């Protein structure tokens, strides 16, 4: 089971991530009290304790942090310039929250398979089973996925937004876990040399 440990990411990330709480599924309201700290984010400040070996993954982390504090435009500007499946993933999350569900699905198709899918589907399944849902809940599928299906989660977020589902709380916690796992994967890929040849 993935455990998000904010102390692993350095001082500025630690400061920002100690404010962690589940975002709204929609766009939310930009948290302007953090705008100054976010505007100072760059590879030097965010990765002050590490050497960056993958600048695209570093940019993904910065896009993720802007998104965490509901600055969708700033996040979008960064993620759309990262031409990798992780960049597409952040791009998809941003559009899912916007909400522009069809565009989100387009970007999730661009992701293809992502290395976080296995741990995400496992941990979401465990969370949903622990919390329990009625058999007829539109979120029940989350307990039985063997591989993460981002399009199905987009559909769930859309159902919540339309008032067709009363699982806002669980969906927000799933989105928070997704954010945490993706941020962690991008952070460590940014600073650790690839083991591939």
């Amino acid at each position: 089971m993935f455990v998000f440990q904010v102390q692993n990411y350095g001082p500025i990330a630690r400061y920002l991530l100690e404010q962690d709480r589940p975002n709204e599924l929609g766009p939310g309201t930009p948290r302007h009290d953090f705008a100054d700290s976010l505007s100072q984010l760059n590879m030097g400040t965010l990765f002050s304790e590490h050497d960056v070996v993958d600048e695209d993954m570093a940019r993904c982390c910065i896009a993720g942090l802007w998104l965490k504090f509901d600055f969708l435009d700033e996040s979008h500007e960064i993620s759309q310039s990262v031409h990798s499946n992780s960049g597409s993933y952040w791009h998809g999350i941003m559009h899912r929250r916007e909400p522009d569900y069809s565009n989100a699905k387009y970007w999730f198709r661009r992701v293809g398979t992502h290395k976080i899918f296995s741990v995400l589907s496992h941990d979401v399944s465990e969370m949903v089973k622990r919390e329990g849902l009625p058999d007829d809940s539109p979120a029940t599928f989350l307990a039985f996925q063997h591989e993460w299906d981002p399009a199905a989660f987009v559909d769930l977020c859309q159902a919540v937004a339309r008032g067709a589902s009363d699982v806002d709380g669980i969906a927000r916690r799933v989105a928070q876990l997704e954010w945490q796992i993706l941020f962690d994967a991008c952070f460590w890929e940014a600073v650790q040399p690839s083991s591939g040849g």
Side-chain angles (χ1 to χ4, degrees):
M1 171 131 331
F2 176 79
V3 178
F4 192 59
Q5 298 179 321
V6 299
Q7 68 273 15
N8 289 343
Y9 309 114
I12 192 164
R14 188 165 42 248
Y15 163 72
L16 291 167
L17 294 172
E18 284 171 350
Q19 319 302 318
D20 197 27
R21 84 295 186 244
N23 289 95
E24 294 180 30
L25 294 177
T29 302
R31 298 178 64 192
H32 291 289
D33 46 332
F34 292 98
D36 286 344
S37 296
L38 290 163
S39 66
Q40 294 174 32
L41 288 175
N42 59 47
M43 289 179 211
T45 58
L46 182 57
F47 298 95
S48 61
E49 298 176 349
H50 302 276
D51 294 325
V52 172
V53 298
D54 189 326
E55 292 185 2
D56 277 347
M57 290 304 98
R59 282 192 288 277
C60 282
C61 291
I62 295 169
L65 286 166
W66 279 106
L67 189 59
K68 185 71 179 157
F69 289 87
D70 300 331
F71 290 92
L72 274 61
D73 291 340
E74 291 81 354
S75 177
H76 184 227
E77 186 176 331
I78 297 166
S79 65
Q80 71 181 350
S81 71
V82 179
H83 306 292
S84 69
N85 69 341
S86 291
S88 294
Y89 204 137
W90 287 113
H91 201 159
I93 293 173
M94 190 285 305
H95 282 300
R96 187 181 72 210
R97 290 193 54 201
E98 198 169 22
D100 182 346
Y101 301 115
S102 61
N103 207 2
K105 286 182 177 183
Y106 167 82
W107 284 100
F108 285 127
R109 285 192 299 273
R110 298 270 310 255
V111 170
T113 299
H114 197 280
K115 68 182 192 175
I116 74 162
F117 281 1
S118 293
V119 66
L120 179 59
S121 62
H122 173 269
D123 287 7
V124 166
S125 175
E126 293 299 309
M127 176 196 303
V128 171
K129 287 174 184 173
R130 238 185 353 265
E131 295 195 15
L133 289 171
D135 290 342
D136 62 346
S137 170
T140 303
F141 75 94
L142 293 169
F144 304 104
Q145 287 190 107
H146 296 292
E147 191 69 20
W148 182 247
D149 183 346
F153 189 61
V154 169
D155 291 340
L156 180 64
C157 293
Q158 186 172 15
V160 171
R162 290 182 174 165
S165 174
D166 60 355
V167 292
D168 178 73
I170 188 85
R172 288 175 67 181
R173 288 188 294 282
V174 168
Q176 178 185 35
L177 181 60
E178 176 189 43
W179 187 97
Q180 292 171 341
I181 294 172
L182 182 58
F183 179 85
D184 183 78
C186 291
F187 187 93
W188 293 114
E189 198 168 331
V191 300
Q192 294 176 350
S194 172
S195 60

